[in-house]
Amino acid sequence: MEGSITTPSELERLLAFRRKVHLLVAVGACALTAGVNSLVRGERRQVMTRVYAGQADEWDTFPPQAVDHFVKVDAQIPGCPPEKSELLNSLGTLLHGGWPGHQVMPVCMECRINENPCLLERDRAPCLGPVTLAGCNAKCPNLGVPCEGCRGVVAEANRDELCRLFLTAGLTDQEIRHRLDRFGETL
Ligand code: SF4
Ligand code: SF4
């Protein structure tokens, strides 16, 4: 299952799908965390009007939700987009009756292994690497771009410490909240 759930008809299809399948795999950031779509929480009506103008009211939608908000998810393949190797390995393992392994370390670990300068320390950039699940080989920091958290929250993420680091980097409370909002209740 890909994508977030944002309309009653999508929800109906999801529920019907769950009833039919033995194994449900959520693939990609939108399915796992509601992804980019969920970043417009709060200003939804304004965005709908901007995109659909006079037809905005014709769309029956609700704020985007992750798939596991509604149904049991058996396995997850994170990322935006998912890493090709992880996708193939996970699906291959499932098809052979196994269970895909998953990362337990944060993006920072991969970033350090790659000997990148830390963007949070050096540039005071609001990088989400400390709380984000590794597995992308620190793709964004490798290019000098702060992590946006697309792979979701790593186990044992230290929210308080990240907030402290962001405050030290000069972010306001509101900026920090907006930054962490994308993880919803998972962080
Ligand atoms: S740049 Fe980001 S991912 Fe890399 S070490 Fe610093 S905080 Fe972690
Ligand atoms: S560095 Fe962060 S935003 Fe970039 S691909 Fe990896 S998890 Fe996603």
Side-chain angles (χ1 to χ4, degrees), residues 24 34 76 99 131 154 171:
L24 192 148
Q76 303 186 337
W99 210 253
V131 295
V154 68
L171 271 75

Side-chain angles (χ1 to χ4, degrees), residues 98-173:
W99 210 253
H102 57 90
Q103 280 285 352
V104 290
M105 61 182 187
V107 170
C108 283
M109 292 293 283
E110 293 176 320
C111 195
R112 303 279 79 184
I113 290 167
N114 294 344
E115 300 187 357
N116 294 328
C118 177
L119 303 170
L120 184 52
E121 281 175 10
R122 190 192 67 181
D123 304 339
R124 301 183 166 233
C127 185
L128 291 169
V131 295
T132 301
L133 186 68
C136 62
N137 192 28
K139 192 165 270 175
C140 301
N142 288 350
L143 297 169
V145 177
C147 173
E148 291 293 329
C150 82
R151 291 179 57 82
V153 176
V154 68
E156 299 181 18
N158 190 335
R159 181 192 171 99
D160 292 346
E161 180 59 12
L162 183 66
C163 290
R164 193 190 65 74
L165 289 169
F166 278 178
L167 280 172
T168 308
L171 271 75
T172 63
D173 286 352

